[in-house]
Structures are given as C-alpha cells and as structure tokens.
C-alpha cells in the first residue's frame, strides 16, 4: 500500500491567499487578523558578515541560506512551528519499501522570467549540486540524503545521469534512495535541494546570481547587492502565491559590530538585530516587547585540528580532555552571553526532535572537579610550568566570538597555565582557513539543516565535508550509518555522544538561543520554529 504523506498548509496561510487581493487593492488591514497594516512594508535586518553565496548549490552559511530561501523555493517549506508544508510540490507519496519518493509539482510555479518551474529544473539542480565540476561545499549533504548513486557521482566515478532523481513529466519528480530515511522529506527544505535555472547558469556562469542576471522562483527577486554592505530583495510578481505576500522589500545590511547594530536598531534603522553578548537582561527590562530569547537548533563549539600536520599536542586525548574540562560553560552562558543560551556537554542540542540528551561524565561534575581533573590530565600529558602548552585559537570577526575566546583563554591560563593566542579573520577567509586545515583550534557552530540528531553528529563522520578536524573513528562512522535505518536511532546517537565525550575531537561550549531585538511592529516571526527557517513572505508590519 502506498503511504500518502500528510502535508498541511495552515489555515492562516489559506486565508491570506484568499485575502491577498484586498491588500493589493489598497485596504490597509491584514486579511486574517484584521490588524491595521503599516503603509511601508519594508523589512530591514542586520547580518554579521557577507553571505557565502546566493547560489543554492553553493551557499554554506546561515545568513546566505536566509536570503536564498526568499529568492528560491524548494519542494517543501516549514511553517511557523517547523512542520512540513507544500512548496513547489503540493505533496508526495512514498513507496512501501520507503525507497522511492514521488513529488507532485504545482502547475502554477514560475521562474521570475515567467518560465514554468518543472521537475527537470530539480533534476538539473540535484545533479549539479553533486557534480565534481561544481565542487559544492555542500555536496556531502546530497550524500546524507542517501540518493541512489550519489557517492559515485560526487567522486566522479559515475555520470550525473546515474543519480537517483528523474522527471517522468514536468510535474512529477521521482527520487530513488539507497536506504530508507524517515526524515528525507524534511531535508528538502534545505537550499542545496532548491531548483536552479539551467539556461541562465549556462549563459552567465559564476555571474548568474548577480542582480542583472539572476532568475529565481521564490517570493522575492534580488534587486541590489553591494558586497560587504547590503543586499535588497523585492517581491516577485511571478511567484505562484504572490497575492499572499505583504512585505514588499527586504534589506539585509552587513554590520560587523554588534553594538553599532544595536545603536542603529534603537535609532529605527533596523527591524531586527542580534542582542550583543551580555546585554539581554538590561534590554529585556527596557524593551520587554522587543527583546526576544528562544531556543534554537544550533551548537557552538571549538574544533581541534587532528590532521597529520596538525599540532602534535592535540593528538593526545588527555590534552583535548583537559582543555574541554577547564572551560566553565556556566560563566560563558550566564555572564558573557546572558541571553538564555544553555551550557553544552554534548554536541547535539536538547531542542533536537526525538533526541534525549545522554548523560556524560563531565556534565555531572562540579567545575572544581572538572578543573582538578584537567590539571591532572595535562600533567600526565607532559605539560606544566616547565613545558607550557601554547596554541592559537581562531574565530571569525565578532565581538561576541571575541568575548567567548577571551573568556576561554583566561580560564585555561588560570587553571592550566596554557597560553592561547587569539586570532580573528573575516568570514570568507575564516571558512577557507578552517576548510583547508590552516588552524590549530578553531571556532565552529552548526545550525541544523533538518530537525534530527544526525544533522549534528554527521559532522563528525570521517567523510563529512564539514569535519574540519578530520576526526576519524570507525565506530562513529558505523553507528551513524546504522542510525539511518535503526528503529531506535537514539541508541546509536547516545553511543556516538559518549565517544565524542571520551575522545573530545571538539569542545562543545553552548547551545544557542535566538536572542534578538525585534521591531514590535513586525508580526509573525516564527519563534516556535527551532530551525529558524523563516520566510519574509510570512511577515508583515502593523501600523504604529
């Protein structure tokens, strides 16, 4: 029997679609809530760094993905609670053996140039994302999706047309998996799986995402991009659900300094910005309707360089354990950040769906006990006053990252006599350095690509594209592969977390909270979506 996936669009979305014409006719009330709408529907927000790319097959950062989700639309979307709802696909069926997904595409989806969006556009995009020619930093995500033949395609050992994705007709996309994945459909909300316009890419090459060339199928089109300064997107009249869109223009401003961003927010120049480290308690008292803190599906960690040419000291597990133990996470989350973040002793956040945080020894210890054990371990490894441990810790430029790095280095100095030199780099340079192994200890952070523990733990699989430590553990690899088909994957995930806690290839520091200043005139921010897959088309501004 064929399993029909149940996809539900919210009642609110349906009502907005019916009432969108009212907004177009100039009625200044929201079609669902009846709230009086602001005359100017422009959403302006701050980003820390320039995005990595606007190419769905290449983008690898959170802020870039936010822009891409506005410009492009994949098979499925998230609603405000993180539930799957239709995107370009109106629904899908799954075969009895859970290996074949058949998506039905809506017949009114169009590119911004008026061309229809077809199943062939998805086939091209998926083949391109897996192709050695593109060398996408997210090709490994296609492998995680378990699409039939993907590993051989990525390795250049098989032709692109051997990838298990096909288009029997313009409105049917068939995906063949090599192994069942219960969360496969959820993975299609990620940018890597979005369609891209083949003719435009072939005409303009790497320049196809520039405002003058780009063709997209999402609710917005790119109208302006000034690198390291701003990007602007405006409503796409060709979007199949354009009548339901209220926000007319979205502006992302690159502001590297968190405090400067806050000043500009308070001056009315921004509708959203991150709260600077340590300032949430004050701001939540002064601006209770604007300061927000809520759980996010993200972790913050430092990764050791465990490559052959990496620091010799870090090859000793006792050194790694000592450094991890001596980090007082409560000081970092309560005093340095103070925004609702939680101390992390496991890699996977507690907010992850169907995941139970396992007990690890470090979490049960007091900080005094951790420090004492850290001193013992470092001495056993041969480091002390006569042979001090010294290394460089690398982070991307940010006041918050610097504050955390300073705090950690001081903890290590005070407890262990360690000399940690701080170094910062701008985002793109940092990504390249970390990916190339040009670091000793480097900041890392990960926000879930989908809401399941594997989105985090797969980073420590030996072949992962984001295993910057080059950590290699055969048992971890076997456990993660087994979790894909296990009836109770939590057993595997618990064991992987126990191995990480013992071998410490990374130092988990904290699990994120979304800590924002948000204009109280901006409505419908999805605070209950821990992935924070937000779409500007769902937002609107009310009159002051």
């Amino acid at each position: 029997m064929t399993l029909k996936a149940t996809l539900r669009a919210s009642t609110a979305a349906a009502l907005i679609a019916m009432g969108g014409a009212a907004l177009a006719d100039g009625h200044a009330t929201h079609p669902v809530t009846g709230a009086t709408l602001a005359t100017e529907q422009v959403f302006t927000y701050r980003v820390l760094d320039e995005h990595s790319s606007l190419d769905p097959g290449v983008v690898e950062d959170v802020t870039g993905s936010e822009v891409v989700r506005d410009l492009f639309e994949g098979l499925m979307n998230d609603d405000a609670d993180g539930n799957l709802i239709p995107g370009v696909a109106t629904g899908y069926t799954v075969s009895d053996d859970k290996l074949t997904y058949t998506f039905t595409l809506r017949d009114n989806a169009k590119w911004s140039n008026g061309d229809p969006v077809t199943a062939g556009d998805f086939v091209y995009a998926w083949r391109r994302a897996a192709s050695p020619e593109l060398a996408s930093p997210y090709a490994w995500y296609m492998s995680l999706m378990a699409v039939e033949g993907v590993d051989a395609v990525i390795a250049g050992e098989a032709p692109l047309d051997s990838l298990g994705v096909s288009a029997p007709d313009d409105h049917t996309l068939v995906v063949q998996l090599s192994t069942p994945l219960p969360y496969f459909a959820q993975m299609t909300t990620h940018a890597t799986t979005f369609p891209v316009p083949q003719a435009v890419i072939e005409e303009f090459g790497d320049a196809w995402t520039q405002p003058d060339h780009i063709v997209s199928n999402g609710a917005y089109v790119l109208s302006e991009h000034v690198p390291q300064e701003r990007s602007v997107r405006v409503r796409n009249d060709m979007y199949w659900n354009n009548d339901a869109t209220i926000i007319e223009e979205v502006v992302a401003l690159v502001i590297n300094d968190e405090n400067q961003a806050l000043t500009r927010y308070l001056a009315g120049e921004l509708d959203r910005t991150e709260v600077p480290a340590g300032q949430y308690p004050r701001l939540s008292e002064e601006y209770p309707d604007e300061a927000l803190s809520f759980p996010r599906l993200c972790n913050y960690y430092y990764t050791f360089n465990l490559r052959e040419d990496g620091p010799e000291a870090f090859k000793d597990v006792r050194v790694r354990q000592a450094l991890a133990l001596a980090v007082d996470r409560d000081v970092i989350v309560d005093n340095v950040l103070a925004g609702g973040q939680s101390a992390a002793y496991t890699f996977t956040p507690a907010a992850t769906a169907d995941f139970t945080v396992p007990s690890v020894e470090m979490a049960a210890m007091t900080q005094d006990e951790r420090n004492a054990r850290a001193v013992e371990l470092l001495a056993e490894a041969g480091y002390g006053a006569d042979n001090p441990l010294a290394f460089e810790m690398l982070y991307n430029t940010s006041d918050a990252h610097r504050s955390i790095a300073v705090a950690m280095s001081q903890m290590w100095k005070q407890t262990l006599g360690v000399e940690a030199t701080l170094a910062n780099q701008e985002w793109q340079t940092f990504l390249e350095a970390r990916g190339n192994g040009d670091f000793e200890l480097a900041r890392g952070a990960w926000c879930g690509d989908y809401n399941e523990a594997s989105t985090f733990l797969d980073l420590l699989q030996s072949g992962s594209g984001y295993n910057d430590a080059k950590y290699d553990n055969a048992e971890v690899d076997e456990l993660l592969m087994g979790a894909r088909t296990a009836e109770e994957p939590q057993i595997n995930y618990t064991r992987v977390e126990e191995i990480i806690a013992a071998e410490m290839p990374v130092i988990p520091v904290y699990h994120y909270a979304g800590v924002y200043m948000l204009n109280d005139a901006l409505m419908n921010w999805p605070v209950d979506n821990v992935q924070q897959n937000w779409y500007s088309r769902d937002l609107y501004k009310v009159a002051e």
Side-chain angles (χ1 to χ4, degrees):
M1 182 177 68
T2 300
L3 171 66
K4 178 67 177 177
T6 303
L7 305 171
R8 57 181 184 83
S10 67
T11 302
L15 288 172
I16 289 173
M18 290 187 290
L23 180 64
D25 290 341
H27 299 296
T29 58
H30 192 276
V32 176
T33 67
T36 302
L37 294 171
T39 302
E40 184 180 71
Q41 294 291 331
V42 178
F43 170 44
T44 304
Y45 68 104
R46 173 258 183 174
V47 294
L48 172 64
D49 296 294
E50 171 76 7
H51 49 253
S52 59
S53 176
L54 293 183
D55 184 332
V58 176
V59 65
E60 58 179 318
D61 58 338
V62 171
T63 54
S65 296
E66 291 171 345
V67 181
V68 168
R69 274 195 302 274
D70 268 2
L71 299 179
F72 297 86
E73 182 170 63
L75 296 168
M76 309 300 297
N77 294 325
D78 277 359
D79 70 8
D81 296 318
N83 301 309
L84 276 182
I85 59 173
V88 174
T90 58
Y92 62 90
T93 58
V94 187
S95 62
D96 288 346
D97 62 5
K98 309 292 194 300
L99 292 176
T100 304
Y101 282 70
T102 302
F103 293 86
T104 300
L105 275 55
R106 61 181 72 252
D107 58 11
N108 59 341
K110 295 181 179 181
W111 292 100
S112 54
N113 63 2
D115 291 343
V117 177
T118 69
D121 295 324
F122 284 91
V123 172
Y124 170 74
W126 288 31
R127 289 175 176 174
R128 177 175 178 265
S131 68
E133 181 182 7
L134 184 65
S136 168
Y138 247 80
W140 65 278
Y141 186 79
M142 301 299 294
S143 178
L144 287 184
M145 294 178 73
V147 180
E148 183 69 41
V150 66
D151 291 330
V153 170
I154 292 173
E157 299 168 355
L160 297 184
D161 60 10
S162 67
L163 189 68
V165 56
S166 60
D169 58 61
D170 283 350
H171 300 112
T172 306
L173 182 73
V174 178
V175 182
Q176 187 71 34
L177 304 186
S178 58
T179 187
L181 280 186
Y183 47 86
F184 173 77
Q186 192 182 117
M187 297 182 79
T188 67
T189 66
H190 192 268
T192 308
T193 70
F194 292 178
V196 292
Q198 181 175 358
V200 178
I201 292 172
E202 291 177 346
E203 181 178 359
F204 296 108
D206 291 342
W208 81 272
T209 57
Q210 293 178 5
D212 291 344
H213 305 322
I214 192 169
V215 171
S216 57
N217 74 315
Y220 295 85
V221 293
L222 186 69
S223 63
E224 180 185 359
H225 177 215
V226 181
Q228 300 296 338
E229 183 178 326
R230 62 193 279 124
S231 65
V232 181
R233 46 210 197 257
V234 297
R235 276 176 66 162
N236 175 12
D237 293 339
M238 290 293 173
Y239 179 58
W240 66 269
N241 203 22
N242 179 52
D243 287 346
T245 302
I246 295 177
I247 293 291
E248 296 281 349
E249 181 177 279
V250 186
V251 182
L253 298 180
V254 179
I255 306 173
N256 300 131
D257 186 290
E258 288 94 337
N259 290 288
Q260 182 190 60
L262 177 62
T263 298
R264 295 180 66 172
Y265 171 86
L266 295 175
E269 297 179 34
L270 300 171
D271 295 305
R272 194 204 80 176
T273 190
E274 289 77 9
V275 171
Q279 297 194 41
Y280 179 75
R282 173 182 67 84
L283 292 169
S284 62
E285 286 189 9
E286 294 181 17
Y287 306 94
D289 295 330
E290 300 174 61
L292 298 177
S293 176
F294 50 88
R296 286 202 61 184
L297 196 66
C298 306
N299 64 10
Y300 190 106
Y301 61 95
Y302 265 81
T303 183
F304 294 99
N305 186 343
L306 301 180
R307 302 164 193 245
E308 288 187 10
D309 59 352
E312 193 63 31
F314 292 163
K315 292 180 171 61
D316 191 325
V317 67
R318 295 170 297 185
V319 172
R320 303 196 301 268
Q321 290 173 338
L323 292 173
L325 285 161
V327 175
D328 191 334
R329 292 155 177 81
D330 290 337
V331 168
I332 289 174
V333 298
D334 294 338
N335 300 341
V336 178
L337 297 172
Q341 298 84 357
S342 57
Y345 301 96
T346 60
F347 200 60
T348 308
T352 307
D354 302 320
F355 177 77
T356 301
V357 177
S359 299
V360 293
E361 182 182 7
M362 187 191 304
M365 301 167 71
T366 66
Q367 190 58 46
D368 286 342
E369 290 171 337
R370 295 184 197 115
N371 288 346
R373 181 62 179 145
V375 170
E376 292 174 0
L377 287 167
L378 203 63
E380 290 175 10
Y383 295 95
D386 296 333
N387 183 32
L389 176 65
F391 55 84
E392 180 182 84
M393 57 189 307
L394 180 68
Y395 60 92
N396 57 298
T397 304
S398 156
D399 288 343
H401 300 333
R402 181 180 183 280
S403 296
I404 293 168
V406 167
M408 291 173 64
S409 65
Q410 290 176 345
M411 292 169 187
W412 290 330
K413 176 68 173 178
Q414 180 176 346
T415 304
L416 304 173
V418 166
E419 297 289 346
T421 303
L422 275 55
N424 68 291
Q425 295 176 340
E426 64 87 19
W427 182 235
Q428 290 288 356
T429 304
F430 172 76
L431 285 178
E432 292 174 7
R434 209 176 61 183
N436 293 332
D438 296 332
F439 69 93
E440 295 184 321
L441 182 72
R443 172 194 170 262
W446 192 258
C447 290
D449 291 325
Y450 50 94
N451 196 351
E452 209 270 346
S454 61
T455 192
F456 295 99
L457 297 177
D458 278 335
L459 297 182
L460 297 172
Q461 190 266 345
S462 60
S464 169
Y466 280 89
N467 181 357
D468 292 326
K470 292 301 181 228
Y471 174 63
D472 190 347
N473 182 297
E475 184 181 0
V476 167
D477 290 353
E478 184 178 351
L479 287 163
L480 292 174
M481 182 60 68
R484 295 186 178 190
T485 55
E487 290 187 11
E488 297 183 19
Q490 175 70 44
I491 297 172
N492 294 47
Y493 296 148
T494 294
R495 178 59 186 147
V496 172
E497 289 283 7
E498 290 171 349
I499 294 172
I500 294 171
E503 299 196 351
M504 209 59 70
V506 294
I507 302 175
V509 180
Y510 69 87
H511 294 145
Y512 273 58
V515 193
Y516 296 139
M517 295 297 292
L518 195 71
N519 183 350
D520 58 1
L522 184 71
M523 299 288 108
N524 220 27
W525 194 267
V527 295
D528 293 325
N529 183 339
V530 292
Q531 281 186 259
Q532 280 299 282
N533 281 352
W534 56 271
Y535 308 85
S536 299
R537 64 174 181 268
D538 294 332
L539 308 176
Y540 62 96
K541 279 185 171 181
V542 296
E544 295 291 341

